[in-house]
mmCIF file of all heavy atoms in Angstrom:
data_model
loop_
_atom_site.group_PDB
_atom_site.id
_atom_site.type_symbol
_atom_site.label_atom_id
_atom_site.label_comp_id
_atom_site.label_asym_id
_atom_site.label_seq_id
_atom_site.Cartn_x
_atom_site.Cartn_y
_atom_site.Cartn_z
ATOM 1 N N LEU A 1062 122.160 97.588 108.742
ATOM 2 C CA LEU A 1062 120.921 97.549 109.515
ATOM 3 C C LEU A 1062 119.703 97.692 108.604
ATOM 4 O O LEU A 1062 118.725 96.942 108.739
ATOM 5 C CB LEU A 1062 120.933 98.674 110.555
ATOM 6 C CG LEU A 1062 119.794 98.666 111.576
ATOM 7 C CD1 LEU A 1062 119.907 97.456 112.486
ATOM 8 C CD2 LEU A 1062 119.812 99.949 112.409
ATOM 9 N N ARG A 1063 119.765 98.614 107.653
ATOM 10 C CA ARG A 1063 118.653 98.826 106.719
ATOM 11 C C ARG A 1063 118.406 97.577 105.868
ATOM 12 O O ARG A 1063 117.267 97.108 105.750
ATOM 13 C CB ARG A 1063 118.948 100.023 105.811
ATOM 14 C CG ARG A 1063 117.810 100.348 104.838
ATOM 15 C CD ARG A 1063 118.201 101.412 103.846
ATOM 16 N NE ARG A 1063 119.224 100.937 102.918
ATOM 17 C CZ ARG A 1063 120.452 101.415 102.853
ATOM 18 N NH1 ARG A 1063 120.834 102.388 103.664
ATOM 19 N NH2 ARG A 1063 121.330 100.925 101.977
ATOM 20 N N ASN A 1064 119.474 97.034 105.315
ATOM 21 C CA ASN A 1064 119.327 95.845 104.475
ATOM 22 C C ASN A 1064 118.862 94.628 105.277
ATOM 23 O O ASN A 1064 118.093 93.802 104.777
ATOM 24 C CB ASN A 1064 120.651 95.527 103.777
ATOM 25 C CG ASN A 1064 121.023 96.546 102.726
ATOM 26 O OD1 ASN A 1064 120.174 97.301 102.254
ATOM 27 N ND2 ASN A 1064 122.287 96.597 102.351
ATOM 28 N N THR A 1065 119.334 94.538 106.519
ATOM 29 C CA THR A 1065 118.929 93.421 107.373
ATOM 30 C C THR A 1065 117.434 93.456 107.647
ATOM 31 O O THR A 1065 116.739 92.438 107.511
ATOM 32 C CB THR A 1065 119.694 93.452 108.707
ATOM 33 O OG1 THR A 1065 121.089 93.281 108.459
ATOM 34 C CG2 THR A 1065 119.211 92.350 109.639
ATOM 35 N N TYR A 1066 116.917 94.629 108.022
ATOM 36 C CA TYR A 1066 115.489 94.727 108.342
ATOM 37 C C TYR A 1066 114.622 94.537 107.099
ATOM 38 O O TYR A 1066 113.520 93.975 107.182
ATOM 39 C CB TYR A 1066 115.184 96.061 109.021
ATOM 40 C CG TYR A 1066 115.578 96.105 110.475
ATOM 41 C CD1 TYR A 1066 115.996 97.280 111.085
ATOM 42 C CD2 TYR A 1066 115.538 94.951 111.259
ATOM 43 C CE1 TYR A 1066 116.351 97.312 112.422
ATOM 44 C CE2 TYR A 1066 115.894 94.970 112.587
ATOM 45 C CZ TYR A 1066 116.297 96.147 113.176
ATOM 46 O OH TYR A 1066 116.649 96.166 114.499
ATOM 47 N N MET A 1067 115.098 94.995 105.951
ATOM 48 C CA MET A 1067 114.350 94.778 104.708
ATOM 49 C C MET A 1067 114.277 93.293 104.376
ATOM 50 O O MET A 1067 113.195 92.760 104.073
ATOM 51 C CB MET A 1067 115.003 95.547 103.560
ATOM 52 C CG MET A 1067 114.791 97.049 103.588
ATOM 53 S SD MET A 1067 115.638 97.904 102.215
ATOM 54 C CE MET A 1067 114.867 97.120 100.808
ATOM 55 N N LEU A 1068 115.421 92.608 104.453
ATOM 56 C CA LEU A 1068 115.451 91.184 104.146
ATOM 57 C C LEU A 1068 114.695 90.388 105.205
ATOM 58 O O LEU A 1068 113.995 89.417 104.875
ATOM 59 C CB LEU A 1068 116.898 90.695 104.051
ATOM 60 C CG LEU A 1068 117.097 89.230 103.648
ATOM 61 C CD1 LEU A 1068 116.449 88.938 102.300
ATOM 62 C CD2 LEU A 1068 118.590 88.888 103.611
ATOM 63 N N LEU A 1069 114.806 90.800 106.460
ATOM 64 C CA LEU A 1069 114.093 90.110 107.530
ATOM 65 C C LEU A 1069 112.588 90.193 107.316
ATOM 66 O O LEU A 1069 111.872 89.195 107.489
ATOM 67 C CB LEU A 1069 114.467 90.718 108.886
ATOM 68 C CG LEU A 1069 113.810 90.081 110.115
ATOM 69 C CD1 LEU A 1069 114.255 88.625 110.273
ATOM 70 C CD2 LEU A 1069 114.167 90.881 111.377
ATOM 71 N N GLY A 1070 112.100 91.368 106.927
ATOM 72 C CA GLY A 1070 110.673 91.530 106.666
ATOM 73 C C GLY A 1070 110.202 90.619 105.541
ATOM 74 O O GLY A 1070 109.146 89.982 105.641
ATOM 75 N N MET A 1071 110.988 90.543 104.464
ATOM 76 C CA MET A 1071 110.611 89.692 103.326
ATOM 77 C C MET A 1071 110.654 88.208 103.686
ATOM 78 O O MET A 1071 109.767 87.440 103.301
ATOM 79 C CB MET A 1071 111.535 89.981 102.138
ATOM 80 C CG MET A 1071 111.313 91.336 101.487
ATOM 81 S SD MET A 1071 112.264 91.565 99.952
ATOM 82 C CE MET A 1071 113.923 91.733 100.613
ATOM 83 N N THR A 1072 111.676 87.796 104.448
ATOM 84 C CA THR A 1072 111.777 86.379 104.808
ATOM 85 C C THR A 1072 110.696 85.977 105.811
ATOM 86 O O THR A 1072 110.194 84.844 105.767
ATOM 87 C CB THR A 1072 113.168 86.057 105.389
ATOM 88 O OG1 THR A 1072 113.470 86.961 106.466
ATOM 89 C CG2 THR A 1072 114.236 86.173 104.330
ATOM 90 N N LEU A 1073 110.315 86.885 106.698
ATOM 91 C CA LEU A 1073 109.223 86.584 107.634
ATOM 92 C C LEU A 1073 107.908 86.410 106.874
ATOM 93 O O LEU A 1073 107.112 85.516 107.186
ATOM 94 C CB LEU A 1073 109.091 87.696 108.672
ATOM 95 C CG LEU A 1073 110.160 87.725 109.774
ATOM 96 C CD1 LEU A 1073 110.018 88.984 110.619
ATOM 97 C CD2 LEU A 1073 110.060 86.481 110.662
ATOM 98 N N ALA A 1074 107.689 87.263 105.872
ATOM 99 C CA ALA A 1074 106.479 87.142 105.057
ATOM 100 C C ALA A 1074 106.477 85.819 104.281
ATOM 101 O O ALA A 1074 105.454 85.131 104.201
ATOM 102 C CB ALA A 1074 106.382 88.320 104.096
ATOM 103 N N PHE A 1075 107.642 85.455 103.718
ATOM 104 C CA PHE A 1075 107.736 84.204 102.974
ATOM 105 C C PHE A 1075 107.547 83.010 103.902
ATOM 106 O O PHE A 1075 106.880 82.026 103.546
ATOM 107 C CB PHE A 1075 109.102 84.122 102.283
ATOM 108 C CG PHE A 1075 109.290 82.891 101.447
ATOM 109 C CD1 PHE A 1075 108.487 82.656 100.341
ATOM 110 C CD2 PHE A 1075 110.276 81.959 101.767
ATOM 111 C CE1 PHE A 1075 108.650 81.508 99.567
ATOM 112 C CE2 PHE A 1075 110.448 80.816 100.998
ATOM 113 C CZ PHE A 1075 109.628 80.593 99.899
ATOM 114 N N SER A 1076 108.103 83.092 105.093
ATOM 115 C CA SER A 1076 107.951 82.021 106.073
ATOM 116 C C SER A 1076 106.490 81.864 106.475
ATOM 117 O O SER A 1076 106.004 80.739 106.671
ATOM 118 C CB SER A 1076 108.811 82.316 107.303
ATOM 119 O OG SER A 1076 108.737 81.267 108.240
ATOM 120 N N ALA A 1077 105.780 82.985 106.607
ATOM 121 C CA ALA A 1077 104.354 82.930 106.939
ATOM 122 C C ALA A 1077 103.563 82.242 105.827
ATOM 123 O O ALA A 1077 102.626 81.473 106.096
ATOM 124 C CB ALA A 1077 103.821 84.342 107.176
ATOM 125 N N LEU A 1078 103.943 82.495 104.573
ATOM 126 C CA LEU A 1078 103.262 81.863 103.438
ATOM 127 C C LEU A 1078 103.482 80.347 103.437
ATOM 128 O O LEU A 1078 102.544 79.578 103.219
ATOM 129 C CB LEU A 1078 103.766 82.457 102.121
ATOM 130 C CG LEU A 1078 103.246 83.848 101.739
ATOM 131 C CD1 LEU A 1078 103.925 84.347 100.472
ATOM 132 C CD2 LEU A 1078 101.733 83.825 101.558
ATOM 133 N N THR A 1079 104.708 79.918 103.690
ATOM 134 C CA THR A 1079 104.978 78.480 103.712
ATOM 135 C C THR A 1079 104.311 77.821 104.922
ATOM 136 O O THR A 1079 103.891 76.654 104.837
ATOM 137 C CB THR A 1079 106.490 78.197 103.726
ATOM 138 O OG1 THR A 1079 107.100 78.820 104.868
ATOM 139 C CG2 THR A 1079 107.150 78.714 102.452
ATOM 140 N N ALA A 1080 104.207 78.549 106.022
ATOM 141 C CA ALA A 1080 103.502 78.005 107.193
ATOM 142 C C ALA A 1080 102.018 77.832 106.871
ATOM 143 O O ALA A 1080 101.408 76.809 107.235
ATOM 144 C CB ALA A 1080 103.675 78.935 108.389
ATOM 145 N N PHE A 1081 101.432 78.810 106.189
ATOM 146 C CA PHE A 1081 100.031 78.714 105.771
ATOM 147 C C PHE A 1081 99.837 77.530 104.827
ATOM 148 O O PHE A 1081 98.848 76.790 104.935
ATOM 149 C CB PHE A 1081 99.595 80.014 105.093
ATOM 150 C CG PHE A 1081 98.196 79.976 104.551
ATOM 151 C CD1 PHE A 1081 97.099 80.123 105.392
ATOM 152 C CD2 PHE A 1081 97.962 79.779 103.193
ATOM 153 C CE1 PHE A 1081 95.797 80.068 104.902
ATOM 154 C CE2 PHE A 1081 96.671 79.729 102.688
ATOM 155 C CZ PHE A 1081 95.582 79.868 103.543
ATOM 156 N N PHE A 1082 100.787 77.331 103.927
ATOM 157 C CA PHE A 1082 100.717 76.202 102.997
ATOM 158 C C PHE A 1082 100.752 74.875 103.765
ATOM 159 O O PHE A 1082 99.992 73.940 103.451
ATOM 160 C CB PHE A 1082 101.886 76.266 102.013
ATOM 161 C CG PHE A 1082 102.035 75.052 101.148
ATOM 162 C CD1 PHE A 1082 101.245 74.883 100.017
ATOM 163 C CD2 PHE A 1082 102.964 74.063 101.474
ATOM 164 C CE1 PHE A 1082 101.372 73.749 99.223
ATOM 165 C CE2 PHE A 1082 103.103 72.932 100.675
ATOM 166 C CZ PHE A 1082 102.303 72.776 99.549
ATOM 167 N N ALA A 1083 101.619 74.795 104.763
ATOM 168 C CA ALA A 1083 101.732 73.570 105.552
ATOM 169 C C ALA A 1083 100.453 73.293 106.331
ATOM 170 O O ALA A 1083 100.024 72.140 106.452
ATOM 171 C CB ALA A 1083 102.923 73.672 106.507
ATOM 172 N N VAL A 1084 99.834 74.353 106.854
ATOM 173 C CA VAL A 1084 98.571 74.185 107.579
ATOM 174 C C VAL A 1084 97.471 73.724 106.628
ATOM 175 O O VAL A 1084 96.690 72.820 106.938
ATOM 176 C CB VAL A 1084 98.164 75.507 108.268
ATOM 177 C CG1 VAL A 1084 96.747 75.406 108.833
ATOM 178 C CG2 VAL A 1084 99.146 75.860 109.382
ATOM 179 N N ALA A 1085 97.406 74.356 105.450
ATOM 180 C CA ALA A 1085 96.345 74.047 104.477
ATOM 181 C C ALA A 1085 96.458 72.635 103.920
ATOM 182 O O ALA A 1085 95.446 71.985 103.634
ATOM 183 C CB ALA A 1085 96.378 75.064 103.344
ATOM 184 N N THR A 1086 97.683 72.147 103.773
ATOM 185 C CA THR A 1086 97.893 70.831 103.165
ATOM 186 C C THR A 1086 98.083 69.719 104.196
ATOM 187 O O THR A 1086 98.129 68.546 103.836
ATOM 188 C CB THR A 1086 99.123 70.853 102.238
ATOM 189 O OG1 THR A 1086 100.286 71.221 102.994
ATOM 190 C CG2 THR A 1086 98.919 71.849 101.097
ATOM 191 N N GLY A 1087 98.202 70.109 105.468
ATOM 192 C CA GLY A 1087 98.425 69.111 106.510
ATOM 193 C C GLY A 1087 99.813 68.493 106.457
ATOM 194 O O GLY A 1087 100.025 67.347 106.879
ATOM 195 N N LEU A 1088 100.777 69.257 105.957
ATOM 196 C CA LEU A 1088 102.153 68.764 105.823
ATOM 197 C C LEU A 1088 102.768 68.480 107.189
ATOM 198 O O LEU A 1088 102.601 69.253 108.131
ATOM 199 C CB LEU A 1088 103.001 69.795 105.076
ATOM 200 C CG LEU A 1088 104.469 69.437 104.820
ATOM 201 C CD1 LEU A 1088 104.556 68.300 103.812
ATOM 202 C CD2 LEU A 1088 105.229 70.652 104.312
ATOM 203 N N ARG A 1089 103.489 67.383 107.289
ATOM 204 C CA ARG A 1089 104.180 67.018 108.525
ATOM 205 C C ARG A 1089 105.657 66.761 108.228
ATOM 206 O O ARG A 1089 105.985 66.173 107.204
ATOM 207 C CB ARG A 1089 103.573 65.749 109.136
ATOM 208 C CG ARG A 1089 102.118 65.901 109.590
ATOM 209 C CD ARG A 1089 102.027 66.756 110.848
ATOM 210 N NE ARG A 1089 100.675 66.784 111.368
ATOM 211 C CZ ARG A 1089 99.749 67.661 111.012
ATOM 212 N NH1 ARG A 1089 100.049 68.575 110.090
ATOM 213 N NH2 ARG A 1089 98.558 67.633 111.556
#
């Protein structure tokens, strides 16, 4: 449970960064 929530937090943050990149570049 501890490792899952730690990894989930990091992957959500990374996913948010790639989503921001897609918005900024207009990626489709």
Side-chain angles (χ1 to χ4, degrees):
L1062 188 67
R1063 182 187 68 245
N1064 291 341
T1065 297
Y1066 282 148
M1067 286 178 59
L1068 184 58
L1069 181 64
M1071 289 188 288
T1072 53
L1073 285 172
F1075 182 63
S1076 183
L1078 284 175
T1079 58
F1081 176 78
F1082 171 81
V1084 171
T1086 59
L1088 181 69
R1089 296 288 186 271

